[in-house]
Amino acid sequence: MATNIILLGPPGAGKGTQARRLIEERGLVQLSTGDMLREARSSGTEMGKRVAEVMDRGELVTDEIVIGLIREKLEQGGKGFIFDGFPRTLAQADALGKLLDEFGMELDAAIELKVDDEALVGRIVKRADEARAAGEQVRKDDTPEVFADRLREYYKKTAPLLGYYYANGDLQQVDGMASMDEVAAQVAAILDQQA
Ligand code: B4P
């Protein structure tokens, strides 16, 4: 049976970091809506320009756009998906449930990476500093000001999903404050339990 999981948690919790490890270690397919939207913005299309404005304000892109991007990826096929940063609203969670039914897939777990707000800001500032030092482009939403808005969006629109997946019996929590290796070990233990 293929493994399908959701990685949930506030911005900077390490969803992308853990997803990249799961691709290497378990051959799962990463569906990161953040990466898809960054790709869309760099394409320079009208949709990309609209997406860029919303992301730079630290807000969530519309459900319609994001659900459409996920549907396209699922249509391309694959076995075992990591939904990284999706769903982020209750409407997206409902849409994902319908897509899973449509594509004959089941959800194994919604894994929440729990990290304190202070640590999150520290990580984002560090990522921006490291990018600057390496002469790379700094993500426009990786400033303390925009980050505060991203966090507010998270608590308003995404945190209610924790109750949604808890009620479904799918929620699993890991200590996202631990080192990347320790977090990966906790995630692996959850996946091994499902197997
Ligand atoms: P995302 O790209 O999903 O970004 P994120 O939430 O900031 O990152 P993540 O949790 O993956 O953290 P990461 O591993 O990078 O979203 C960006 C924007 O896109 C959103 O604000 C929104 O506008 C839009 N968007 C995306 N999905 C959407 C959706 N479904 N609906 C609507 N809009 C959507 O880790 C961050 C840093 O921490 C890294 O530097 C990493 O090295 C470090 N780190 C990770 N784990 C660590 C650990 N254990 N210890 C110490 N540092 C750690």
Coordinates of all heavy atoms in Angstrom, one line a residue, residues 10-17 20 33-35 37-38 55 58-61 66 84-88 92 123-124 127 139 141 150 176 178-180 183, ligand 1:
P10 N 3.1 25.4 11.5 CA 3.3 26.8 11.1 C 4.4 27.1 10.1 O 5.2 26.2 9.9 CB 3.6 27.5 12.5 CG 4.1 26.4 13.3 CD 3.5 25.1 12.9
P11 N 4.4 28.3 9.5 CA 5.5 28.6 8.6 C 6.9 28.4 9.2 O 7.0 28.9 10.4 CB 5.2 30.0 8.2 CG 4.3 30.6 9.2 CD 3.5 29.4 9.7
G12 N 7.8 27.8 8.5 CA 9.1 27.6 9.1 C 9.2 26.4 10.1 O 10.3 26.2 10.7
A13 N 8.1 25.6 10.2 CA 8.2 24.5 11.1 C 9.1 23.4 10.6 O 9.5 22.5 11.4 CB 6.8 23.9 11.3
G14 N 9.4 23.4 9.3 CA 10.3 22.3 8.8 C 9.6 21.3 7.9 O 10.1 20.2 7.7
K15 N 8.4 21.7 7.4 CA 7.6 20.8 6.5 C 8.5 20.4 5.3 O 8.6 19.3 5.0 CB 6.3 21.4 6.1 CG 5.4 21.8 7.3 CD 4.1 22.5 6.9 CE 4.3 23.8 6.3 NZ 4.6 24.9 7.2
G16 N 9.0 21.5 4.6 CA 9.8 21.2 3.4 C 11.0 20.4 3.7 O 11.4 19.5 3.0
T17 N 11.6 20.7 4.8 CA 12.9 20.1 5.2 C 12.6 18.6 5.4 O 13.4 17.7 4.9 CB 13.4 20.7 6.6 OG1 13.6 22.1 6.4 CG2 14.7 20.0 7.0
R20 N 11.7 16.7 2.0 CA 12.9 16.4 1.2 C 13.6 15.1 1.7 O 14.1 14.3 0.9 CB 13.9 17.6 1.1 CG 13.3 18.7 0.2 CD 14.4 19.8 0.0 NE 14.5 20.7 1.2 CZ 13.7 21.6 1.5 NH1 12.6 21.9 0.7 NH2 13.9 22.4 2.5
T33 N 2.9 22.9 -2.0 CA 2.2 24.1 -2.7 C 3.0 25.3 -2.6 O 3.0 26.1 -3.5 CB 0.8 24.3 -2.0 OG1 0.9 24.2 -0.6 CG2 -0.2 23.3 -2.5
G34 N 3.9 25.5 -1.6 CA 4.8 26.6 -1.6 C 5.7 26.6 -2.8 O 5.9 27.6 -3.5
D35 N 6.3 25.5 -3.1 CA 7.2 25.4 -4.2 C 6.4 25.6 -5.5 O 6.9 26.3 -6.5 CB 7.9 24.0 -4.3 CG 8.9 23.8 -3.2 OD1 9.3 24.8 -2.6 OD2 9.4 22.7 -3.0
L37 N 3.8 27.4 -6.0 CA 3.4 28.8 -6.1 C 4.7 29.6 -6.4 O 4.6 30.6 -7.2 CB 2.8 29.3 -4.8 CG 1.4 28.7 -4.6 CD1 0.9 28.9 -3.2 CD2 0.4 29.2 -5.6
R38 N 5.8 29.3 -5.9 CA 7.1 30.0 -6.2 C 7.4 29.8 -7.7 O 7.9 30.7 -8.3 CB 8.2 29.6 -5.3 CG 8.2 30.3 -3.9 CD 9.4 30.0 -3.0 NE 9.3 28.6 -2.5 CZ 8.6 28.3 -1.4 NH1 7.9 29.3 -0.7 NH2 8.6 27.1 -0.9
M55 N 1.7 36.3 -1.8 CA 2.7 35.7 -1.0 C 3.6 36.8 -0.3 O 3.9 36.6 0.8 CB 3.6 34.8 -1.9 CG 2.9 33.6 -2.4 SD 4.0 32.6 -3.4 CE 4.9 31.6 -2.3
G58 N 2.4 37.9 2.8 CA 2.3 36.8 3.9 C 1.0 36.2 4.0 O 0.6 35.6 5.0
E59 N 0.1 36.4 3.0 CA -1.3 35.9 3.0 C -1.3 34.6 2.3 O -0.4 34.2 1.6 CB -2.2 36.9 2.4 CG -2.4 38.1 3.3 CD -3.1 39.3 2.6 OE1 -3.7 39.0 1.5 OE2 -3.1 40.4 3.1
L60 N -2.5 33.9 2.4 CA -2.7 32.7 1.7 C -3.2 32.9 0.3 O -4.1 33.8 0.1 CB -3.6 31.7 2.4 CG -3.1 31.2 3.8 CD1 -4.2 30.2 4.4 CD2 -1.8 30.5 3.6
V61 N -2.7 32.2 -0.7 CA -3.2 32.3 -2.1 C -4.6 31.6 -2.1 O -5.0 30.8 -1.2 CB -2.2 31.5 -3.0 CG1 -2.7 31.4 -4.4 CG2 -0.9 32.3 -2.9
V66 N -4.8 26.9 -5.5 CA -4.0 25.9 -4.9 C -4.6 24.5 -5.1 O -3.8 23.6 -5.4 CB -3.9 26.2 -3.4 CG1 -3.2 25.1 -2.6 CG2 -3.2 27.5 -3.1
D84 N 2.8 18.7 1.4 CA 3.7 19.6 2.2 C 3.1 21.0 2.1 O 3.2 21.7 1.0 CB 5.1 19.5 1.6 CG 6.0 20.6 2.0 OD1 5.6 21.4 2.9 OD2 7.1 20.7 1.4
G85 N 2.5 21.5 3.2 CA 1.9 22.8 3.2 C 0.5 22.9 2.6 O 0.0 24.0 2.3
F86 N -0.1 21.8 2.3 CA -1.4 21.6 1.8 C -2.1 20.5 2.5 O -1.5 19.4 2.6 CB -1.4 21.4 0.3 CG -2.8 21.2 -0.3 CD1 -3.5 22.2 -0.7 CD2 -3.3 19.9 -0.3 CE1 -4.8 22.1 -1.3 CE2 -4.6 19.7 -0.9 CZ -5.3 20.8 -1.3
P87 N -3.3 20.6 3.0 CA -4.2 21.8 3.0 C -3.8 22.9 4.1 O -3.1 22.5 5.0 CB -5.5 21.2 3.3 CG -5.2 20.0 4.1 CD -4.0 19.5 3.7
R88 N -4.2 24.1 3.8 CA -3.9 25.2 4.8 C -5.2 25.9 5.2 O -5.2 26.8 6.0 CB -3.0 26.2 4.1 CG -1.5 26.1 4.5 CD -0.8 27.1 3.7 NE 0.5 27.5 4.3 CZ 1.7 27.1 4.0 NH1 1.8 26.1 3.1 NH2 2.7 27.6 4.6
Q92 N -9.7 23.7 1.8 CA -8.6 22.9 1.1 C -8.7 21.4 1.7 O -8.4 20.5 0.9 CB -7.2 23.5 1.3 CG -7.0 24.8 0.5 CD -5.6 25.3 0.7 OE1 -4.7 24.7 1.1 NE2 -5.5 26.6 0.4
R123 N 14.4 30.9 13.0 CA 14.8 30.1 11.8 C 14.7 30.9 10.5 O 15.5 30.7 9.6 CB 13.8 28.8 11.7 CG 14.1 27.8 12.7 CD 13.1 26.6 12.5 NE 13.3 25.7 13.6 CZ 12.6 24.5 13.6 NH1 11.8 24.2 12.7 NH2 12.8 23.7 14.7
I124 N 13.6 31.7 10.4 CA 13.4 32.4 9.2 C 14.5 33.5 9.0 O 15.0 33.7 7.9 CB 12.0 33.1 9.2 CG1 10.9 32.0 9.2 CG2 11.8 34.1 8.1 CD1 11.0 31.1 8.0
R127 N 17.6 31.7 8.0 CA 17.5 31.4 6.5 C 17.8 32.6 5.6 O 18.6 32.5 4.7 CB 16.2 30.7 6.2 CG 16.1 30.5 4.7 CD 15.0 29.5 4.3 NE 13.7 30.0 4.5 CZ 12.6 29.2 4.4 NH1 12.7 27.9 4.2 NH2 11.4 29.7 4.6
R139 N 14.1 35.1 0.2 CA 12.6 35.0 -0.1 C 12.0 36.3 0.5 O 12.2 36.7 1.6 CB 12.0 33.8 0.7 CG 11.9 32.6 -0.2 CD 11.5 31.3 0.5 NE 10.2 31.4 1.2 CZ 9.6 30.4 1.8 NH1 10.2 29.2 1.7 NH2 8.5 30.5 2.4
D141 N 9.1 36.8 1.5 CA 8.3 36.6 2.7 C 9.1 36.2 3.9 O 8.5 35.9 5.0 CB 7.1 35.6 2.4 CG 7.6 34.3 1.9 OD1 8.8 34.2 1.7 OD2 6.8 33.3 1.9
R150 N 2.4 36.0 8.2 CA 2.2 34.6 7.9 C 1.8 33.8 9.1 O 0.9 32.9 9.0 CB 3.6 34.0 7.3 CG 3.9 34.5 6.0 CD 5.4 34.3 5.6 NE 5.8 32.9 5.5 CZ 7.0 32.4 5.5 NH1 8.0 33.3 5.5 NH2 7.3 31.2 5.4
G176 N 8.7 19.4 16.8 CA 9.5 20.0 15.7 C 10.6 20.9 16.2 O 11.3 21.5 15.4
A178 N 13.0 19.8 18.0 CA 14.2 18.9 18.1 C 15.0 19.1 16.8 O 14.6 19.8 15.9 CB 13.7 17.5 18.2
S179 N 16.2 18.5 16.8 CA 17.1 18.6 15.6 C 16.4 18.0 14.4 O 15.5 17.2 14.6 CB 18.4 17.9 15.9 OG 18.2 16.5 15.9
M180 N 16.9 18.4 13.2 CA 16.3 17.8 12.0 C 16.3 16.3 12.0 O 15.4 15.6 11.6 CB 17.0 18.4 10.8 CG 16.8 19.8 10.6 SD 17.7 20.4 9.1 CE 17.8 22.1 9.4
V183 N 13.7 15.0 14.5 CA 12.3 15.1 13.9 C 12.1 14.0 12.9 O 11.1 13.4 12.8 CB 12.1 16.5 13.3 CG1 10.8 16.7 12.6 CG2 12.3 17.7 14.3
Ligands
B4P1 P1 5.7 27.3 2.3 O1 6.7 27.3 1.2 O2 4.9 26.1 2.6 O3 6.7 27.7 3.5 P2 6.8 27.6 5.0 O4 5.6 27.3 5.7 O5 7.6 28.8 5.4 O6 7.9 26.5 5.2 P3 8.2 25.1 5.9 O7 7.4 24.7 7.1 O8 8.3 24.1 4.8 O9 9.7 25.3 6.5 P4 11.1 24.9 6.0 O10 11.3 23.4 5.9 O11 11.4 25.7 4.8 O12 4.7 28.6 2.1 C1 5.1 29.9 1.6 C2 3.9 30.7 1.2 O13 3.2 30.1 0.1 C3 2.7 30.9 2.2 O14 3.0 31.9 3.2 C4 1.5 31.2 1.3 O15 1.5 32.5 0.9 C5 1.8 30.3 0.1 N1 1.1 28.9 0.2 C6 1.7 27.7 0.3 N2 0.9 26.7 0.4 C7 -0.4 27.3 0.4 C8 -1.7 26.8 0.4 N3 -1.9 25.5 0.6 N4 -2.7 27.6 0.4 C9 -2.5 29.0 0.2 N5 -1.3 29.5 0.2 C10 -0.2 28.7 0.2 O16 12.1 25.3 7.2 C11 12.3 26.7 7.5 C12 13.7 26.9 8.0 O17 13.9 26.2 9.3 C13 14.8 26.4 7.1 O18 15.8 27.3 7.0 C14 15.3 25.1 7.7 O19 16.6 24.8 7.4 C15 15.1 25.3 9.2 N6 14.7 24.1 10.0 C16 13.9 23.1 9.5 N7 13.8 22.2 10.5 C17 14.6 22.6 11.5 C18 15.0 22.0 12.8 N8 14.4 20.8 13.2 N9 15.8 22.7 13.6 C19 16.3 23.9 13.2 N10 16.0 24.5 12.0 C20 15.2 23.8 11.2

